[in-house]
Amino acid sequence: DTAVSQTPKYLVTQMGNDKSIKCEQNLGHDTMYWYKQDSKKFLKIMFSYNNKELIINETVPNRFSPKSPDKAHLNLHINSLELGDSAVYFCASSHRLSYFNYGYTFGSGTRLTVV
Amino acid sequence: AQSVTQPDIHITVSEGASLELRCNYSYGATPYLFWYVQSPGQGLQLLLKYFSGDTLVQGIKGFEAEFKRSQSSFNLRKPSVHWSDAAEYFCAVGAGIQGAQKLVFGQGTRLTINP
């Protein structure tokens, strides 16, 4: 009964490859997010979707393309992977209008290593 | 732009000692403030939050935080730490309008507990 689940947990791939990370939430939230945590542990938002609609895109390279088939799922596809893409990617979800009551619920992260 | 500063990158305390982790924010309106904890290899767990009312808020695991508007601070405290409290702690502010809100995180403070 995991609230926000991400797959895979670990991903090791070569430069230039294309990879996807999947996220699903069973909390009934209407908003989902992708955050990137770099090697210094700094967390920065990449994308936000509300009811399948993209509402935040934080100057992320075009190689990153999020897709939300429904409000319970948010996937992240990365083309032409680069060394600098190595990081931990976190999916999160919330209720848009009451996130201040409950905060965001985060997944356990996907550690991406590009070699 | 909204920002969060955690001045201490790394703090070491002895088990049983008291703890205070500092957080300063920059935000024009009344902030929505959060503290999250990240254990090694895990996602982020919400410790506590503040957006109105009593400026001293209680959270899980015996943590509390005090909002001080005059100092733009939201420091996290615990009277007596346990070895299991060793983790990375993140302060965050809710930013943006309701339709496009996001959490802006500080750089994190790594807490080490000496036995």
Side-chain angles (χ1 to χ4, degrees):
Chain A
D1 59 344
T2 304
V4 180
S5 59
Q6 297 179 228
T7 54
K9 192 171 176 65
Y10 300 96
L11 187 53
V12 180
T13 187
Q14 291 186 326
M15 276 197 306
N17 283 351
D18 303 338
K19 290 294 178 185
S20 292
I21 306 172
K22 296 188 175 183
C23 179
E24 176 182 5
Q25 55 95 2
N26 62 3
L27 298 167
H29 289 164
D30 58 6
T31 306
M32 296 184 72
Y33 314 81
W34 279 113
Y35 275 78
K36 179 179 180 181
Q37 186 175 47
D38 63 21
S39 59
K40 295 185 177 179
K41 300 283 190 177
F42 184 61
L43 280 153
K44 190 174 189 313
I45 190 168
M46 301 172 69
F47 302 103
S48 169
Y49 270 77
N50 176 252
N51 284 322
K52 303 192 296 177
E53 179 186 354
L54 179 67
I55 54 174
I56 291 179
N57 181 342
E58 289 276 314
T59 59
V60 177
N62 291 338
R63 299 182 295 102
F64 290 79
S65 52
K67 291 236 176 6
S68 182
D70 56 61
K71 68 177 187 178
H73 295 84
L74 179 61
N75 304 323
L76 183 65
H77 188 76
I78 315 170
N79 290 326
S80 304
L81 278 154
E82 301 177 356
L83 292 176
D85 298 330
S86 296
V88 181
Y89 293 84
F90 285 99
C91 178
S93 70
S94 74
H95 280 296
R96 178 172 67 91
L97 294 181
S98 61
Y99 81 99
F100 41 85
N101 279 328
Y102 308 106
Y104 292 7
T105 302
F106 282 83
S108 57
T110 295
R111 181 175 294 277
L112 171 65
T113 303
V114 183
V115 298
Chain B
Q2 305 87 357
S3 66
V4 176
T5 301
Q6 294 179 245
D8 304 306
I9 295 174
H10 185 200
I11 283 183
T12 300
V13 299
S14 298
E15 190 167 16
S18 63
L19 171 71
E20 182 169 31
L21 302 182
R22 296 183 291 164
C23 171
N24 293 98
Y25 67 90
S26 171
Y27 190 67
T30 300
Y32 298 147
L33 294 161
F34 305 84
W35 273 100
Y36 279 85
V37 60
Q38 183 182 23
S39 298
Q42 301 297 313
L44 284 82
Q45 181 183 22
L46 180 65
L47 284 176
L48 47 76
K49 61 195 182 299
Y50 170 82
F51 66 96
S52 68
D54 193 344
T55 56
L56 184 63
V57 293
Q58 303 297 320
I60 62 171
K61 305 185 180 189
F63 285 92
E64 67 179 24
E66 185 170 14
F67 170 64
K68 293 185 177 179
R69 184 185 299 277
S70 61
Q71 299 177 18
S72 297
S73 69
F74 188 55
N75 294 348
L76 182 71
R77 301 195 293 248
K78 187 169 185 179
S80 176
V81 298
H82 186 261
W83 63 266
S84 60
D85 293 325
E88 193 88 22
Y89 290 79
F90 293 93
C91 182
V93 63
I97 61 174
Q98 279 194 332
Q101 40 84 357
K102 61 184 179 183
L103 289 184
V104 175
F105 285 88
Q107 306 92 314
T109 298
R110 182 159 61 97
L111 176 63
T112 299
I113 308 295
N114 280 337

